[in-house]
Amino acid sequence: MKIVKIYGPGCKRCDATEQMVKGAASDLAIDVTIEKITDPREIAMAGVMSTPGIAVDGTLVHAGGLPDKSKLEGWLSA
Amino acid sequence: MTAETHGTEPLRERPDWFWYFGIAVGGVVWVLLYRQLIPFSEWATALLPIPRHSHTGEAIAFFLYDVPKVLFLLTLIVFVTGVLRSWFSPEKTRAILSGKREILGYPLASGLGVLTPFCSCSSVPLFIGFVSAGIPLGVTFSFLIAGPMVGPVGLGLLFGLVGWKITAIYLVFGFTIATVSGWIMGRMGLERYLQDWVRELNAGAANGLQEERLTMVDRIKVGLDQVKEILGKVWIWVVIGISIGALIHGYVPEAVMLRIMGGEAWWSVPAAVVVGVPMYTNAAGVIPIVEALLGKGAALGTTLAFMMSVIALSLPEMIILKQVLTLRLIAIFIAVVASGILATGFLFNALL
């Protein structure tokens, strides 16, 4: 079980990112729990300055813009 | 390899030459089509059963010429900007600014505000990221003002629609307002007017994110992705802006324009700011209006003031910033920037 946190104020791209994570997880048959973090304070504490940001099991792997699909799969299966 | 939305397309399998070749072909097609815009708009207007030099004919010709023109220019500008900005990131900008002496920080922040990629939806995390890393509040404001005010999209469109002289004036004064406003707010010691939790936060350089290495092809893809993203978002504002511009161009008599926005009407500068602030649009939407206003004889200072207040002081932006700034600080922010805009407007109306 991996915990994926998606940081963002709830913009369109954040939803798109969530869909991408779900899609990649089901492609790879990996069990993930997605948490959407919308609180600006938590976003800042995580070190995210451009949204959406993605953290997998507590490690920040991406910030700003939609993630690349192959990289996303890499982060999830690592 | 960055942001590619539709993973089903095997885009990343294509060889490098495909991208370079594609960009070259795209550039040639762009130039060929761009040169046909005037003939096209005249041809299309002539098809309609309306006299070319009637009010309606003028308005329609303006619309049919400007819509494709602005969309063409936007595509080019957004692509080039997207590629150039891929060398910058908020993280790098923060690292540069946090190491600088304060007095250098203001102009540098204004410059980086233009070059750093960020969208207004990220302005809160970016603001916190800067302030919590010890970048002075005023320097952070310079960055936040310059970003939208002298953004490349606005400058590129201004250049394409009204020429290089006004673009240069706009650039110099926009940059100056961002720098000086930040400096003034820095002098005022406004830290106490941040929301409490922001002041207490000390994220330091809490950032475990590795810098991604991008190839040239990756950067091209960033540019293309930006085109898709930004054009998809702003085209409607472009159409609305040009419609208003077309109505002004076709129907507003010059005498009326001179009375309302001419250099003689001193009150027109503050009025332009008051009208501009609540207008929710962006550079792409407002510049066709600016083009039409100037074409009808509106004074340059008044028009600049209008444009700057629409782009740099937007109400929705202020509401987003409410999460980190107290109302009092937002009011000071608006007052300082608006003063700079007013000064610019009065100065140009007096000079010209």
Side-chain angles (χ1 to χ4, degrees):
Chain A
M1 170 71 86
K2 286 196 184 297
I3 297 172
V4 178
K5 288 185 179 176
I6 297 173
Y7 297 95
C11 50
K12 226 170 88 186
R13 289 179 144 205
C14 311
D15 296 333
T17 305
E18 185 184 8
Q19 292 309 317
M20 285 182 74
V21 172
K22 279 183 181 160
S26 73
D27 284 353
L28 295 166
I30 297 174
D31 218 4
V32 294
T33 308
I34 296 176
E35 279 179 53
K36 290 181 83 177
I37 314 286
T38 53
D39 178 33
R41 181 177 190 157
E42 277 191 65
I43 295 175
M45 288 303 280
V48 174
M49 280 202 291
S50 32
T51 55
I54 303 173
V56 179
D57 286 341
T59 311
L60 188 64
V61 290
H62 173 84
L66 295 171
D68 181 66
K69 188 167 185 266
S70 62
K71 283 190 180 160
L72 179 59
E73 288 175 353
W75 299 324
L76 288 179
S77 52
Chain B
M1 316 232 173
T2 36
E4 177 47 45
T5 335
H6 305 290
T8 45
E9 297 165 28
L11 281 179
R12 69 182 70 86
E13 312 298 341
R14 290 175 182 154
D16 283 6
W17 65 261
F18 171 87
W19 295 99
Y20 294 122
F21 185 70
I23 292 303
V25 171
V28 172
V29 171
W30 190 97
V31 171
L32 290 177
L33 287 177
Y34 190 77
R35 294 174 130 190
Q36 296 307 313
L37 291 179
I38 289 186
F40 164 79
S41 67
E42 291 301 330
W43 171 80
T45 312
L47 289 182
L48 299 167
I50 295 162
R52 173 65 182 81
H53 292 290
S54 67
H55 291 311
T56 319
E58 287 287 342
I60 289 175
F62 183 94
F63 184 84
L64 289 177
Y65 175 54
D66 256 34
V67 169
K69 181 172 181 177
V70 169
L71 293 180
F72 263 74
L73 286 170
L74 264 181
T75 306
L76 179 71
I77 300 160
V78 169
F79 175 73
V80 172
T81 309
V83 173
L84 290 180
R85 279 181 164 179
S86 71
W87 272 277
F88 295 81
S89 70
E91 287 79 12
K92 276 188 203 166
T93 296
R94 178 169 72 173
I96 294 172
L97 288 178
S98 59
K100 284 289 171 298
R101 283 191 28 227
E102 203 185 344
I103 199 68
L104 279 175
Y106 296 103
L108 198 62
S110 302
L112 288 167
V114 181
L115 293 167
T116 309
F118 86 105
C119 77
S120 58
C121 54
S122 286
S123 54
V124 165
L126 191 125
F127 182 90
I128 301 169
F130 275 28
V131 172
S132 64
I135 296 175
L137 193 56
V139 174
T140 305
F141 276 126
S142 279
F143 179 90
L144 283 179
I145 298 167
M149 176 107 101
V150 275
V153 168
L155 291 176
L157 282 182
L158 207 52
F159 176 75
L161 296 182
V162 294
W164 69 269
K165 274 185 196 159
I166 290 175
T167 309
I169 291 172
Y170 184 85
L171 171 65
V172 169
F173 279 82
F175 187 88
T176 308
I177 291 174
T179 307
V180 175
S181 301
W183 181 77
I184 291 172
M185 282 186 274
R187 293 290 96 186
M188 290 167 88
L190 298 168
E191 279 76 5
R192 62 183 183 277
Y193 297 127
L194 290 170
Q195 298 284 14
D196 289 339
W197 65 269
V198 180
R199 231 175 334 163
E200 288 153 14
L201 200 68
N202 195 347
N207 200 337
L209 197 61
Q210 289 267 315
E211 186 68 41
E212 291 185 65
R213 285 190 69 86
L214 298 178
T215 64
M216 197 55 218
V217 169
D218 290 334
R219 296 183 196 281
I220 290 174
K221 289 184 196 169
V222 173
L224 292 175
D225 193 58
Q226 284 287 305
V227 170
K228 203 167 65 182
E229 154 105 18
I230 293 183
L231 258 79
K233 215 160 49 185
V234 306
W235 72 269
I236 183 72
W237 298 107
V238 170
V239 171
I240 294 171
I242 294 174
S243 305
I244 297 172
L247 290 176
I248 295 170
H249 179 78
Y251 292 95
V252 178
E254 283 189 28
V256 172
M257 183 62 75
L258 282 176
R259 206 157 60 231
I260 302 174
M261 291 188 77
E264 303 299 309
W266 69 267
W267 47 268
S268 70
V269 177
V273 175
V274 170
V275 172
V277 174
M279 268 185 72
Y280 179 71
T281 179
N282 44 45
V286 77
I287 290 170
I289 302 178
V290 165
E291 178 195 10
L293 290 174
L294 289 173
K296 283 282 170 169
L300 181 60
T302 310
T303 312
L304 282 177
F306 172 69
M307 177 173 160
M308 284 175 165
S309 57
V310 170
I311 299 177
L313 288 174
S314 96
L315 227 42
E317 178 95 344
M318 301 302 151
I319 293 165
I320 295 175
L321 284 175
K322 177 77 180 64
Q323 295 177 53
V324 281
L325 311 180
T326 55
L327 271 180
R328 185 161 183 163
L329 185 42
I330 293 179
I332 294 172
F333 175 82
I334 294 177
V336 171
V337 177
S339 308
I341 293 173
L342 285 176
T344 304
F346 283 128
L347 178 71
F348 277 95
N349 280 2
L351 286 179
L352 300 178

